[in-house]
Amino acid sequence: MKRVDDFRLRLGKQELVPIMIGGMGVDISTADLALEAARLGGIGHISDAMINTVSDRRYATKHVKEKLAQYKFNVNNEDKSPVKFDLGRLEEATKLHVEATMARKQGSGMVFINCMEKLTMNAPKETLKVRMAAAMDAGIEGITLAAGLHLGSFALIEDHPRFRDVKLGIIVSSVRALQLFLKKSARTGRLPDYIVVEGPLAGGHLGFGMDWAQYDLATIVVEVMQYLKEENLDIPVIPAGGIFTGSDAAGFLEAGAGAVQVATRFTVTTECGLPDDVKQEYFKATEDDIEVNQISPTGYPMRMIKKSPGIGDGIRPNCEAYGYLLDANGKCAYITSYNREVAAHPEARKVKVWDKTCLCTHMRNFEIWTCGQLTYRLKDTTLKNADGSYQILSAEHVFKDYQFSTDNKLALPESAAG
């Protein structure tokens, strides 16, 4: 039986271990996690989700505090359209994070950044352009376009000197989405360097409706590969979502995939940005604890652990400090839901909002526990400590288990800490 290590992903002149760690925001895919993937010869992602907030946490900048001070006059106003991001600060935060990450890079792998189109930031095109251009300026090796169709994203950076040098990829969940992207991007004369096909078992935002269970990753991957063959396009296809063992991964590689993208098993590693107590919640989760709901203001269904503290929490919108999901008109679905509940319960000191969540605040505070469908299997990948907690793993351990395992086996760590 073949192992993942029997295959290699070729991106231009680079030859890589065909393992890509997916981009998880906000700062769940840390620099440390991405750098471990690169050191081991694969591809790691940092995320640019809420990059100003990440910059403040990691590099002691004060972007959020100073933005809040600037827009404090608007805190009680339902109209958030005046709340704009300073593009210079956004550029500074992105460059700082990318440069600091790339300066530490070792090994033969690569470090990419995950850019979500649905982070509309009250100026969708302008802010996305700055984020991508700043990352390229700072030396990022690849950009994965996520959470959106990205029909105009290539055009936003086609004048950048690294447009044909940096690796550019797109995440799709259907052949139709890929066709739309390729059609709209054609005039730039630039094809994507890789295509991540994300299936219905992935974590976080899904490219499916609430009928997600009717779809199957393997089927979509075959459809995408067949379409590329018919169009004579030689672009690596990278399946994602529900690939839990090295054998799962090797099966896709044997069927012609260029690599696999994995994430869930890295949420419980030392290098992951989740707090240790939250990692324990991931280990403890049962299959019944995992749900797909519609509380994200983006409009996309989202998979998470039901016990996430941010579900139902009626916190006042923090758009003046954050505001990453404000659309081009300064609106967010959570603001609408929050104001509805406040109007319905005028005497309440704090309201409950069940249909949407303040995703910015709760993702910043690690209170929305997004996860893959197979998170309930994480407990099978480790050992219990004497106190009943689960042993947190190293990213190297998980990476090498994917790389070298066979027969659907999961390599356990050597021993549980006392």
Side-chain angles (χ1 to χ4, degrees), residues 69-336:
Q70 181 181 356
Y71 292 110
K72 201 166 186 180
F73 70 89
N74 200 64
V75 166
N76 294 316
N77 189 356
E78 291 184 21
D79 179 10
K80 303 299 181 184
S81 57
V83 181
K84 300 285 187 182
F85 280 84
D86 181 306
L87 296 182
R89 283 182 173 275
L90 182 57
E91 179 182 31
E92 179 190 335
T94 305
K95 282 185 175 179
L96 192 56
H97 192 34
V98 173
E99 284 174 353
T101 302
M102 298 310 296
R104 295 166 51 205
K105 187 188 161 221
Q106 298 177 330
S108 60
M110 302 180 82
V111 174
F112 291 1
I113 193 166
N114 181 280
C115 290
M116 297 200 293
E117 190 176 35
K118 278 293 184 180
L119 282 168
T120 39
M121 300 171 73
N122 208 352
K125 289 182 180 177
E126 296 85 350
T127 53
L128 182 59
K129 179 176 182 174
V130 167
R131 283 152 49 205
M132 292 191 293
M136 290 193 286
D137 289 343
I140 203 71
E141 293 171 300
I143 299 175
T144 299
L145 304 175
L149 292 173
H150 286 278
L151 302 183
S153 295
F154 272 18
L156 293 176
I157 51 172
E158 63 179 323
D159 295 332
H160 194 281
R162 292 193 65 207
F163 179 57
R164 297 184 187 282
D165 154 48
V166 74
K167 302 304 175 194
L168 298 175
I170 178 77
I171 296 180
V172 298
S173 294
S174 68
V175 171
R176 177 71 179 141
L178 176 61
Q179 290 169 333
L180 285 169
F181 173 79
L182 293 176
K183 183 180 178 183
K184 289 290 186 179
S185 301
R187 70 161 194 80
T188 66
R190 173 74 157 88
L191 288 167
D193 296 290
Y194 57 96
I195 298 160
V196 177
V197 178
E198 194 169 84
L201 303 184
H205 288 107
L206 303 180
F208 301 86
M210 291 302 285
D211 61 347
W212 59 269
Q214 298 176 23
Y215 296 89
D216 169 69
L217 174 62
T219 301
I220 303 167
V221 168
V222 168
E223 291 170 353
V224 167
M225 287 170 57
Q226 183 62 33
Y227 168 72
L228 292 173
K229 185 177 179 183
E230 290 167 2
E231 297 294 316
N232 291 312
L233 295 174
D234 185 18
I235 305 172
V237 173
I238 303 176
I243 301 169
F244 201 78
T245 68
S247 298
D248 294 338
F252 279 108
L253 297 171
E254 284 194 84
V260 294
Q261 179 171 287
V262 289
T264 293
R265 287 186 60 192
F266 289 92
T267 59
V268 289
T269 60
T270 306
E271 293 83 357
C272 173
L274 290 171
D276 284 354
D277 61 337
V278 177
K279 290 173 187 173
Q280 293 298 324
E281 296 294 338
Y282 278 58
F283 276 128
K284 289 188 288 186
T286 66
E287 191 168 5
D288 288 341
D289 290 332
I290 297 161
E291 69 175 17
V292 175
N293 58 40
Q294 293 180 290
I295 67 171
S296 170
T298 65
Y300 281 109
M302 205 172 184
R303 178 174 280 113
M304 63 188 68
I305 296 174
K306 289 179 189 176
K307 291 188 285 189
S308 301
I311 298 177
D313 188 77
I315 192 170
R316 186 176 69 187
N318 278 321
C319 306
E320 284 69 30
Y322 306 128
Y324 294 90
L325 294 179
L326 292 174
D327 67 17
N329 300 309
K331 296 188 182 306
C332 169
Y334 177 72
I335 299 171
T336 304

Side-chain angles (χ1 to χ4, degrees), residues 6 52 57 132 173 229 299 344 373 384:
D6 294 325
N52 290 17
R57 178 183 286 156
M132 292 191 293
S173 294
K229 185 177 179 183
Q373 180 63 32
K384 268 194 174 181

Side-chain angles (χ1 to χ4, degrees), residues 341-385:
E341 293 304 317
V342 169
H345 305 92
E347 305 303 319
R349 287 185 63 228
K350 188 170 182 184
V351 295
K352 286 281 188 183
V353 181
W354 291 103
D355 59 319
K356 295 296 172 191
T357 190
C358 186
L359 200 58
C360 292
T361 301
H362 291 310
M363 288 299 292
R364 178 212 175 272
N365 295 334
F366 303 108
E367 291 176 338
I368 292 291
W369 301 335
T370 57
C371 66
Q373 180 63 32
L374 301 183
T375 294
Y376 68 92
R377 292 179 62 187
L378 287 174
K379 59 179 68 64
D380 300 331
T381 68
T382 192
L383 301 169
K384 268 194 174 181
N385 296 315

